[in-house]
């Protein structure tokens, strides 16, 4: 199962490491002679630099779950983090789990165009979980959730 998860992460990294947006031609504005896609400082709009993300979760046994996450950036990030937070279903809400030793994991990389993180968690049999994954590259933050497991 670990080989399958590793293969998934490697395949996702290869597919997503070269976003097609990098090869798109710039549009020129004839009226102003500048890039028509330029965002002004007073527009209130910030460009996203997290180009793509891939996440996955697998409950390998009744008491073990593996989470994998990958994000590619439009540009090199001086510092990027991936935070994996385990959540437990309680009624119709998702809460911080109790009675398990590790509830979160943070991976940090420097001067990279992507980040890959993976963590195996001990979980309780009979409980339903999901993972909240937060990617940050210093200029943007993207939050994703796995399906329940």
């Amino acid at each position: 199962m670990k080989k399958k998860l590793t293969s998934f992460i490697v395949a996702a990294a290869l597919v997503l490491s070269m976003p097609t947006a990098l090869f798109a031609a710039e549009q020129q504005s004839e009226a102003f002679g500048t890039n028509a896609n330029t965002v002004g400082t007073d527009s209130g709009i910030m460009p996203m630099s997290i180009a793509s993300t891939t996440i996955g979760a697998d409950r390998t046994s009744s008491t073990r779950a593996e989470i994998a996450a990958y994000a590619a950036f439009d540009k090199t990030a001086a510092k990027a983090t991936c935070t994996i937070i385990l959540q437990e279903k309680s009624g119709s809400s998702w809460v911080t789990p109790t009675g398990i030793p590790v509830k979160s994991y943070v991976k940090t990389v420097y001067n990279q165009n992507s980040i890959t993180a993976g963590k195996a968690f001990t979980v309780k049999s009979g409980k339903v979980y999901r993972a909240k994954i937060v990617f940050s590259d210093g200029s943007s933050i993207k939050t994703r959730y796995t399906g329940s497991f």
Side-chain angles (χ1 to χ4, degrees):
M1 185 53 73
K2 190 169 189 140
K3 185 176 179 181
K4 186 177 180 182
L5 183 61
T6 302
S7 297
F8 170 76
I9 291 173
V10 170
L14 291 172
V15 170
L16 300 173
S17 64
M18 297 187 70
T20 56
L22 293 175
F23 302 105
E26 289 185 20
Q27 289 183 333
Q28 296 294 320
S29 171
E30 293 179 12
F32 301 104
T34 60
N35 184 346
N37 294 325
T38 301
V39 178
T41 56
D42 61 345
S43 69
I45 300 172
M46 294 293 293
M48 293 291 289
S49 60
I50 300 174
S52 62
T53 62
T54 303
I55 61 172
D58 188 18
R59 190 154 188 167
T60 57
S61 74
S62 62
T63 59
R64 181 180 165 92
E66 294 180 358
I67 313 299
Y70 169 83
F73 312 124
D74 286 338
K75 59 184 187 237
T76 300
K79 177 182 177 183
T81 60
C82 176
T83 305
I84 301 172
I85 304 161
L86 198 61
Q87 296 182 325
E88 180 180 294
K89 183 124 181 162
S90 176
S92 62
S93 301
W94 292 96
V95 298
T96 302
T98 57
I100 58 173
V102 178
K103 300 168 182 76
S104 65
Y105 171 74
V106 178
K107 181 172 182 181
T108 304
V109 296
Y110 298 91
N111 300 316
Q112 298 293 319
N113 291 325
S114 65
I115 186 169
T116 302
K119 178 69 177 162
F121 290 94
T122 299
V123 295
K124 287 186 176 180
S125 180
K127 297 283 187 177
V128 177
Y129 297 90
R130 75 174 180 184
K132 175 182 178 181
I133 302 167
V134 181
F135 298 100
S136 172
D137 69 350
S139 64
S140 62
I141 296 172
K142 187 165 194 166
T143 302
R144 302 270 318 267
Y145 295 89
T146 66
S148 58
F149 53 88

